[in-house]
Protein backbone atom coordinates (compact mmCIF):
# COMPACT_ATOMS: atom_id res chain seq x y z
CA UNK A 1 0.00 0.00 0.00
CA UNK A 2 2.82 2.35 0.92
CA UNK A 3 4.67 1.24 -2.20
CA UNK A 4 1.58 1.85 -4.27
CA UNK A 5 1.50 5.36 -2.89
CA UNK A 6 5.06 6.00 -4.01
CA UNK A 7 4.36 4.64 -7.46
CA UNK A 8 1.16 6.60 -7.78
CA UNK A 9 2.98 9.74 -6.71
CA UNK A 10 5.74 9.12 -9.23
CA UNK A 11 3.26 8.32 -11.97
CA UNK A 12 1.32 11.48 -11.24
CA UNK A 13 4.56 13.41 -11.49
CA UNK A 14 5.31 11.76 -14.83
CA UNK A 15 8.22 9.84 -13.35
CA UNK A 16 7.00 6.30 -13.91
CA UNK A 17 7.17 4.32 -17.13
CA UNK A 18 3.88 2.67 -16.34
CA UNK A 19 3.23 1.10 -19.70
CA UNK A 20 6.17 -1.26 -19.56
CA UNK A 21 5.62 -4.74 -18.21
CA UNK A 22 6.77 -4.91 -14.63
CA UNK A 23 10.27 -6.35 -14.42
CA UNK A 24 11.13 -8.82 -11.66
CA UNK A 25 12.11 -7.12 -8.38
CA UNK A 26 15.76 -8.18 -8.72
CA UNK A 27 15.85 -6.80 -12.26
CA UNK A 28 14.27 -3.51 -11.16
CA UNK A 29 17.02 -3.16 -8.54
CA UNK A 30 19.68 -4.09 -11.09
CA UNK A 31 18.39 -1.56 -13.62
CA UNK A 32 18.05 1.32 -11.16
CA UNK A 33 21.54 0.69 -9.78
CA UNK A 34 22.82 0.63 -13.35
CA UNK A 35 21.18 3.98 -14.09
CA UNK A 36 22.74 5.61 -11.03
CA UNK A 37 26.16 4.03 -11.66
CA UNK A 38 26.22 5.19 -15.25
CA UNK A 39 25.15 8.68 -14.20
CA UNK A 40 27.94 8.74 -11.64
CA UNK A 41 30.50 7.97 -14.34
CA UNK A 42 29.14 10.87 -16.36
CA UNK A 43 29.02 13.22 -13.36
CA UNK A 44 32.65 12.24 -12.76
CA UNK A 45 33.62 13.22 -16.29
CA UNK A 46 32.05 16.65 -15.88
CA UNK A 47 33.69 17.13 -12.46
CA UNK A 48 37.02 16.20 -13.98
CA UNK A 49 36.67 18.78 -16.73
CA UNK A 50 35.23 21.74 -14.83
CA UNK A 51 36.73 21.29 -11.35
CA UNK A 52 39.66 18.86 -11.04
CA UNK A 53 41.39 19.63 -14.32
CA UNK A 54 39.77 22.61 -16.07
CA UNK A 55 42.50 22.59 -18.72
CA UNK A 56 40.97 19.39 -20.05
CA UNK A 57 37.55 21.00 -20.63
CA UNK A 58 35.97 19.67 -23.79
CA UNK A 59 32.57 21.08 -24.63
CA UNK A 60 31.41 18.08 -26.64
CA UNK A 61 32.37 15.57 -23.97
CA UNK A 62 30.71 17.58 -21.22
CA UNK A 63 27.53 17.94 -23.25
CA UNK A 64 27.53 14.22 -24.03
CA UNK A 65 27.79 13.49 -20.30
CA UNK A 66 25.05 15.99 -19.46
CA UNK A 67 22.84 14.37 -22.10
CA UNK A 68 23.18 11.01 -20.34
CA UNK A 69 22.33 12.52 -16.96
CA UNK A 70 19.27 14.39 -18.27
CA UNK A 71 18.01 11.42 -20.30
CA UNK A 72 18.40 9.13 -17.29
CA UNK A 73 16.66 11.61 -15.01
CA UNK A 74 13.71 11.70 -17.41
CA UNK A 75 13.52 7.96 -18.04
CA UNK A 76 10.82 7.10 -15.52
CA UNK A 77 13.02 5.36 -12.96
CA UNK A 78 10.11 5.47 -10.51
CA UNK A 79 8.95 2.27 -12.21
CA UNK A 80 12.04 0.56 -10.77
CA UNK A 81 10.86 0.89 -7.17
CA UNK A 82 7.99 -1.56 -7.36
CA UNK A 83 6.78 -4.04 -4.73
CA UNK A 84 9.52 -6.34 -3.43
CA UNK A 85 12.34 -3.93 -4.30
CA UNK A 86 12.65 -2.52 -0.79
CA UNK A 87 15.11 -5.21 0.26
CA UNK A 88 17.88 -7.39 -1.17
CA UNK A 89 16.38 -9.98 -3.52
CA UNK A 90 17.67 -12.57 -6.00
CA UNK A 91 21.31 -11.71 -5.41
CA UNK A 92 20.70 -7.98 -5.91
CA UNK A 93 21.55 -5.72 -2.99
CA UNK A 94 19.88 -2.38 -2.53
CA UNK A 95 20.96 0.55 -0.39
CA UNK A 96 17.56 2.24 -0.39
CA UNK A 97 16.32 2.91 3.15
CA UNK A 98 12.83 1.63 4.10
CA UNK A 99 11.77 5.26 4.66
CA UNK A 100 11.94 5.80 0.89
CA UNK A 101 8.82 3.67 0.50
CA UNK A 102 7.02 5.43 3.33
CA UNK A 103 7.50 9.04 2.25
CA UNK A 104 6.13 9.33 -1.29
CA UNK A 105 5.68 13.10 -1.11
CA UNK A 106 9.29 13.66 -0.05
CA UNK A 107 10.54 11.23 -2.71
CA UNK A 108 8.55 13.00 -5.39
CA UNK A 109 9.86 16.37 -4.26
CA UNK A 110 13.49 15.22 -4.36
CA UNK A 111 13.01 13.44 -7.69
CA UNK A 112 11.46 16.49 -9.34
CA UNK A 113 14.23 18.71 -7.96
CA UNK A 114 16.85 16.40 -9.44
CA UNK A 115 15.11 16.28 -12.82
CA UNK A 116 14.92 20.08 -12.89
CA UNK A 117 18.65 20.45 -12.16
CA UNK A 118 19.62 17.72 -14.64
CA UNK A 119 17.58 19.37 -17.40
CA UNK A 120 19.19 22.70 -16.59
CA UNK A 121 22.66 21.11 -16.64
CA UNK A 122 21.94 19.80 -20.14
CA UNK A 123 20.86 23.27 -21.25
CA UNK A 124 23.87 25.00 -19.74
CA UNK A 125 26.26 22.34 -21.10
CA UNK A 126 25.01 23.10 -24.60
CA UNK A 127 26.29 26.67 -24.25
CA UNK A 128 29.85 25.49 -23.60
CA UNK A 129 30.29 28.10 -20.84
CA UNK A 130 32.61 26.27 -18.44
CA UNK A 131 31.99 28.59 -15.48
CA UNK A 132 28.21 28.33 -15.81
CA UNK A 133 28.49 24.55 -16.21
CA UNK A 134 30.56 24.39 -13.03
CA UNK A 135 27.86 26.25 -11.09
CA UNK A 136 25.04 24.12 -12.48
CA UNK A 137 27.07 20.95 -11.95
CA UNK A 138 27.25 21.90 -8.27
CA UNK A 139 23.49 22.36 -8.06
CA UNK A 140 22.89 19.04 -9.77
CA UNK A 141 25.25 17.28 -7.38
CA UNK A 142 23.43 18.85 -4.45
CA UNK A 143 20.13 17.47 -5.73
CA UNK A 144 21.67 13.98 -5.93
CA UNK A 145 23.09 14.34 -2.43
CA UNK A 146 19.78 15.50 -0.95
CA UNK A 147 18.27 12.12 -1.80
CA UNK A 148 21.38 10.12 -0.87
CA UNK A 149 21.51 11.79 2.56
CA UNK A 150 17.88 11.05 3.24
CA UNK A 151 17.23 7.71 1.60
CA UNK A 152 20.49 5.87 0.91
CA UNK A 153 22.21 3.60 3.42
CA UNK A 154 25.96 3.92 3.93
CA UNK A 155 27.92 1.14 2.28
CA UNK B 1 49.71 -2.50 -27.31
CA UNK B 2 46.61 -4.11 -28.74
CA UNK B 3 44.52 -2.30 -26.16
CA UNK B 4 46.19 0.97 -27.08
CA UNK B 5 45.19 0.34 -30.67
CA UNK B 6 41.56 -0.09 -29.69
CA UNK B 7 41.59 3.07 -27.62
CA UNK B 8 43.31 5.01 -30.35
CA UNK B 9 40.77 3.77 -32.85
CA UNK B 10 37.90 4.71 -30.59
CA UNK B 11 39.41 8.10 -29.83
CA UNK B 12 39.92 8.78 -33.51
CA UNK B 13 36.29 7.91 -34.06
CA UNK B 14 35.24 10.26 -31.30
CA UNK B 15 34.14 7.41 -29.09
CA UNK B 16 36.52 7.90 -26.17
CA UNK B 17 36.15 10.37 -23.35
CA UNK B 18 39.90 10.84 -23.25
CA UNK B 19 40.00 13.88 -21.02
CA UNK B 20 38.60 12.13 -17.98
CA UNK B 21 41.02 10.64 -15.48
CA UNK B 22 41.28 6.92 -16.07
CA UNK B 23 39.04 5.00 -13.69
CA UNK B 24 40.31 1.79 -12.09
CA UNK B 25 39.85 -1.27 -14.32
CA UNK B 26 37.14 -2.71 -12.06
CA UNK B 27 35.27 0.61 -12.14
CA UNK B 28 35.55 0.81 -15.92
CA UNK B 29 33.97 -2.65 -16.15
CA UNK B 30 31.28 -1.68 -13.63
CA UNK B 31 30.42 1.51 -15.52
CA UNK B 32 30.30 -0.08 -18.95
CA UNK B 33 28.10 -2.91 -17.68
CA UNK B 34 25.86 -0.31 -16.05
CA UNK B 35 25.55 1.57 -19.34
CA UNK B 36 24.56 -1.57 -21.24
CA UNK B 37 22.17 -2.74 -18.50
CA UNK B 38 20.41 0.61 -18.37
CA UNK B 39 20.15 0.68 -22.16
CA UNK B 40 18.63 -2.80 -22.10
CA UNK B 41 15.92 -1.62 -19.71
CA UNK B 42 15.13 1.21 -22.10
CA UNK B 43 15.22 -1.05 -25.17
CA UNK B 44 12.82 -3.31 -23.29
CA UNK B 45 10.38 -0.43 -22.72
CA UNK B 46 10.36 0.41 -26.42
CA UNK B 47 9.93 -3.26 -27.38
CA UNK B 48 7.03 -3.48 -24.97
CA UNK B 49 5.28 -0.51 -26.51
CA UNK B 50 5.84 -1.13 -30.23
CA UNK B 51 5.94 -4.94 -30.42
CA UNK B 52 4.66 -6.85 -27.39
CA UNK B 53 1.78 -4.56 -26.45
CA UNK B 54 1.26 -1.85 -29.08
CA UNK B 55 -1.90 -0.70 -27.33
CA UNK B 56 0.31 0.67 -24.56
CA UNK B 57 2.29 2.90 -26.95
CA UNK B 58 3.13 6.19 -25.29
CA UNK B 59 5.08 8.62 -27.42
CA UNK B 60 6.69 10.46 -24.51
CA UNK B 61 7.86 7.29 -22.79
CA UNK B 62 9.29 5.86 -26.01
CA UNK B 63 11.11 9.10 -26.76
CA UNK B 64 12.48 9.23 -23.18
CA UNK B 65 13.81 5.70 -23.63
CA UNK B 66 15.31 6.52 -27.03
CA UNK B 67 16.98 9.57 -25.50
CA UNK B 68 18.74 7.35 -22.95
CA UNK B 69 19.92 4.95 -25.64
CA UNK B 70 21.24 7.71 -27.91
CA UNK B 71 22.90 9.61 -25.05
CA UNK B 72 24.57 6.41 -23.83
CA UNK B 73 25.72 5.52 -27.34
CA UNK B 74 27.34 8.94 -27.64
CA UNK B 75 28.92 9.01 -24.18
CA UNK B 76 32.40 7.82 -25.11
CA UNK B 77 32.17 4.33 -23.65
CA UNK B 78 35.37 3.42 -25.49
CA UNK B 79 37.16 4.96 -22.49
CA UNK B 80 35.79 2.07 -20.39
CA UNK B 81 37.84 -0.56 -22.23
CA UNK B 82 41.25 0.47 -20.94
CA UNK B 83 44.20 -1.73 -19.98
CA UNK B 84 43.34 -4.41 -17.44
CA UNK B 85 39.64 -4.51 -18.36
CA UNK B 86 39.96 -7.54 -20.64
CA UNK B 87 39.41 -9.95 -17.76
CA UNK B 88 37.55 -10.22 -14.46
CA UNK B 89 39.14 -7.89 -11.91
CA UNK B 90 38.36 -6.64 -8.39
CA UNK B 91 35.13 -8.61 -8.14
CA UNK B 92 33.85 -7.34 -11.48
CA UNK B 93 33.14 -9.95 -14.14
CA UNK B 94 33.26 -9.11 -17.80
CA UNK B 95 31.80 -11.03 -20.74
CA UNK B 96 33.92 -9.30 -23.36
CA UNK B 97 35.86 -11.78 -25.48
CA UNK B 98 39.65 -11.32 -25.81
CA UNK B 99 39.14 -10.80 -29.55
CA UNK B 100 37.50 -7.45 -28.79
CA UNK B 101 40.91 -6.08 -27.81
CA UNK B 102 42.61 -7.54 -30.86
CA UNK B 103 40.26 -6.23 -33.57
CA UNK B 104 40.10 -2.45 -33.17
CA UNK B 105 38.91 -1.85 -36.72
CA UNK B 106 36.01 -4.25 -36.35
CA UNK B 107 35.11 -2.81 -32.93
CA UNK B 108 35.12 0.70 -34.34
CA UNK B 109 32.94 -0.35 -37.25
CA UNK B 110 30.36 -2.00 -34.99
CA UNK B 111 30.42 0.89 -32.50
CA UNK B 112 29.85 3.49 -35.21
CA UNK B 113 27.03 1.41 -36.70
CA UNK B 114 25.34 1.23 -33.30
CA UNK B 115 25.73 4.97 -32.70
CA UNK B 116 24.22 5.69 -36.11
CA UNK B 117 21.18 3.49 -35.44
CA UNK B 118 20.72 4.85 -31.90
CA UNK B 119 20.79 8.44 -33.17
CA UNK B 120 18.28 7.53 -35.86
CA UNK B 121 16.05 5.83 -33.27
CA UNK B 122 16.04 9.04 -31.24
CA UNK B 123 15.08 11.04 -34.33
CA UNK B 124 12.30 8.66 -35.35
CA UNK B 125 11.00 8.44 -31.76
CA UNK B 126 10.54 12.20 -31.74
CA UNK B 127 8.04 11.87 -34.61
CA UNK B 128 5.80 9.56 -32.58
CA UNK B 129 5.23 7.34 -35.62
CA UNK B 130 4.87 3.91 -33.99
CA UNK B 131 5.37 1.92 -37.19
CA UNK B 132 8.54 3.81 -38.10
CA UNK B 133 9.81 3.45 -34.53
CA UNK B 134 9.22 -0.29 -34.70
CA UNK B 135 11.31 -0.55 -37.87
CA UNK B 136 14.13 1.56 -36.48
CA UNK B 137 13.99 -0.26 -33.15
CA UNK B 138 14.64 -3.47 -35.10
CA UNK B 139 17.66 -1.96 -36.83
CA UNK B 140 19.04 -0.68 -33.54
CA UNK B 141 18.62 -4.10 -31.93
CA UNK B 142 20.45 -5.68 -34.86
CA UNK B 143 23.38 -3.31 -34.34
CA UNK B 144 23.53 -4.35 -30.65
CA UNK B 145 23.36 -8.02 -31.61
CA UNK B 146 26.12 -7.71 -34.21
CA UNK B 147 28.57 -6.81 -31.44
CA UNK B 148 27.16 -9.31 -28.94
CA UNK B 149 27.46 -12.14 -31.46
CA UNK B 150 31.05 -11.29 -32.23
CA UNK B 151 32.50 -10.08 -28.96
CA UNK B 152 30.33 -11.16 -26.02
CA UNK B 153 30.72 -14.48 -24.23
CA UNK B 154 27.63 -16.53 -23.45
CA UNK B 155 26.64 -16.37 -19.79
Amino acid sequence: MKIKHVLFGLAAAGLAAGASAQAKPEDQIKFRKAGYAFMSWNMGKIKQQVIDNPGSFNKDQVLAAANVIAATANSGMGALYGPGTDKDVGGQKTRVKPEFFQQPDEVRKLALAFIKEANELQKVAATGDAAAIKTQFGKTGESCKACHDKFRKDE
Side-chain angles (χ1 to χ4, degrees), chain A:
Chain A
M1 196 59 184
K2 288 281 171 55
I3 287 172
K4 259 194 188 158
H5 276 160
V6 172
L7 287 177
F8 178 76
L10 292 169
L15 304 177
S20 66
Q22 198 71 347
K24 283 190 297 185
E26 53 268 45
D27 290 337
Q28 292 181 47
I29 294 175
K30 175 187 164 176
F31 289 142
R32 74 194 187 203
K33 285 164 65 179
Y36 295 124
F38 201 66
M39 278 200 289
S40 83
W41 176 55
N42 285 281
M43 287 292 282
K45 284 186 287 180
I46 298 178
K47 178 172 179 286
Q48 187 66 26
Q49 296 186 42
V50 298
I51 295 177
D52 299 339
N53 183 12
S56 71
F57 181 76
N58 177 300
K59 183 197 157 171
D60 293 337
Q61 287 181 10
V62 167
L63 177 57
N67 284 341
V68 169
I69 295 159
T72 304
N74 289 286
S75 69
M77 289 182 74
L80 299 175
Y81 291 88
T85 69
D86 54 335
K87 53 176 85 72
D88 300 347
V89 58
Q92 281 293 334
K93 297 193 175 195
T94 178
R95 289 167 66 193
V96 177
K97 288 184 184 170
E99 297 90 292
F100 177 94
F101 296 93
Q102 294 152 8
Q103 301 179 23
D105 292 341
E106 182 64 14
V107 168
R108 186 169 57 247
K109 201 182 82 182
L110 292 172
L112 289 174
F114 165 59
I115 293 170
K116 179 175 164 287
E117 301 300 353
N119 285 341
E120 186 64 23
L121 180 62
Q122 185 180 36
K123 240 185 260 176
V124 174
T127 70
D129 177 341
I133 295 169
K134 183 178 174 180
T135 300
Q136 185 54 33
F137 172 79
K139 288 185 191 175
T140 308
E142 284 302 312
S143 75
C144 297
K145 188 172 179 296
C147 196
H148 295 171
D149 286 352
K150 196 138 195 174
F151 293 123
R152 189 173 73 167
K153 290 178 204 161
D154 296 331
E155 287 204 86

